Amino acid sequence: MPYLILCGIGLTIGLTSIGPSASEGLGTLNTLAFWAAHVVPALALLALTQMVLGRIERFSALPGIVQVIVSAILASLLFAPIALGVDEVLGGEGAFDDEGDALLLRLGAELAHFFVPLVLIWSLINAPSLLQLERGARRVPRPQDAPANPDPQRADAAEFWSRIPGRLGRQLVALSAELHYIRVFTTQGDTLILFPFGRAVDLLQNRNGMQVHRSHWVALDQIDEVVSGDGRVICRMIGGVELPVSRSYRAALKAARRSTV
């Protein structure tokens, strides 16, 4: 999320500096507000669209770059009416060139203005994560060399494990959601995979672990200690990873640890 916020700030400042025709005639502050009103909902729609689509099994099985592009295309269609509304409310002199046209024509023209840049920008924003996925994929062992499915009660968990490089072993420590990606921590290291967090938690429900936050899952046998202070509860995992525990999960975590012991 901090990375996405930084990208949003950079895009807003960049568009304000370039000053495309849609913001022509606006002052500096109004131009900044105009482009922020475009960038913020656009990035939110892009991230939300990819996370929602990622919950579809067939979609999540596609290569990462395909998922990114398809999500950007769909998000562009959803963003068109929002962009048109922002133009009408905050736009400069160049935003009203087609004011007399029919609504569908105006939506089509609006979509044509930002469609290609939006797809390219979303691909570039995801590029660092996609490169990590590519590097990890090169280290994944061949099927005949891979360990047996560690969760035989849920055969569909094989799809999750197939994305984790064999060099990291199969002893999970924790999972952390990073937008539509998951940071997977094992006793041998960590990696980034493109997989829905909610689905991963569901597939791992038969393992000795639990969700402790809307963005974090921990293996109970890998917890070093649970620390409280300043109204916060932190799970310190063996190996040094520290993850926050939400209020709604604290009682369940305490009961689960007591049961495990």
Side-chain angles (χ1 to χ4, degrees):
M1 188 61 70
Y3 171 66
L4 196 62
I5 292 172
L6 286 175
C7 289
I9 293 172
L11 285 169
T12 301
I13 294 174
L15 288 167
T16 301
S17 302
I18 296 171
S21 61
S23 58
E24 186 178 347
L26 299 175
T28 302
L29 290 179
N30 287 335
T31 301
L32 192 66
F34 175 78
W35 289 116
H38 280 82
V39 170
V40 172
L43 290 181
L45 263 177
L46 287 162
L48 182 62
T49 301
Q50 188 154 325
M51 285 190 285
V52 170
L53 290 177
R55 295 180 179 275
I56 303 172
E57 291 188 24
R58 290 188 177 182
F59 182 82
S60 65
L62 296 173
I65 185 61
V66 175
Q67 293 188 44
V68 168
I69 292 174
V70 172
S71 299
I73 292 172
L74 181 56
S76 297
L77 297 174
L78 297 174
F79 179 63
I82 298 175
L84 187 60
V86 172
D87 286 352
E88 291 183 351
V89 175
L90 301 175
E93 299 171 1
F96 303 103
D97 294 338
D98 57 355
E99 192 171 9
D101 295 341
L103 179 59
L104 285 178
L105 289 176
R106 296 174 64 193
L107 284 172
E110 187 74 26
L111 181 63
H113 286 148
F114 66 76
F115 177 76
V116 173
L118 197 67
V119 173
L120 289 175
I121 286 170
W122 188 236
S123 299
L124 289 173
I125 288 175
N126 279 270
S129 297
L130 291 173
L131 288 174
Q132 287 190 49
L133 294 178
E134 181 65 23
R135 286 197 295 269
R138 291 173 184 168
R139 300 190 183 102
V140 175
R142 294 172 299 177
Q144 61 268 31
D145 299 329
N149 179 14
D151 194 0
Q153 295 181 347
R154 295 296 299 272
D156 49 359
E159 181 186 352
F160 168 78
W161 288 104
S162 68
R163 303 189 183 205
I164 301 175
R167 62 185 172 83
L168 295 180
R170 291 296 181 264
Q171 180 61 61
L172 283 177
V173 173
L175 305 178
S176 289
E178 297 182 10
L179 290 177
H180 37 274
Y181 299 90
I182 299 178
R183 178 72 60 181
V184 179
F185 298 93
T186 75
T187 53
Q188 304 300 314
D190 67 271
T191 190
L192 192 70
I193 66 172
L194 185 54
F195 202 85
F197 177 74
R199 189 167 164 227
V201 170
D202 179 58
L203 294 177
L204 296 171
Q205 63 180 316
N206 291 324
R207 298 180 66 86
N208 184 30
M210 63 174 291
Q211 187 172 352
V212 295
H213 186 278
R214 62 185 175 84
S215 300
H216 305 297
W217 177 97
V218 299
L220 294 173
D221 59 354
Q222 293 296 314
I223 297 176
D224 185 16
E225 60 178 339
V226 177
V227 182
S228 302
D230 298 327
R232 301 179 64 211
V233 175
I234 300 294
C235 243
R236 288 180 179 166
M237 312 301 294
I238 296 174
V241 178
E242 295 188 357
L243 300 173
V245 181
S246 296
R247 290 183 183 274
S248 56
Y249 291 100
R250 291 174 187 176
L253 175 62
K254 185 176 181 179
R257 293 197 74 206
R258 187 184 301 116
S259 175
T260 300
V261 172

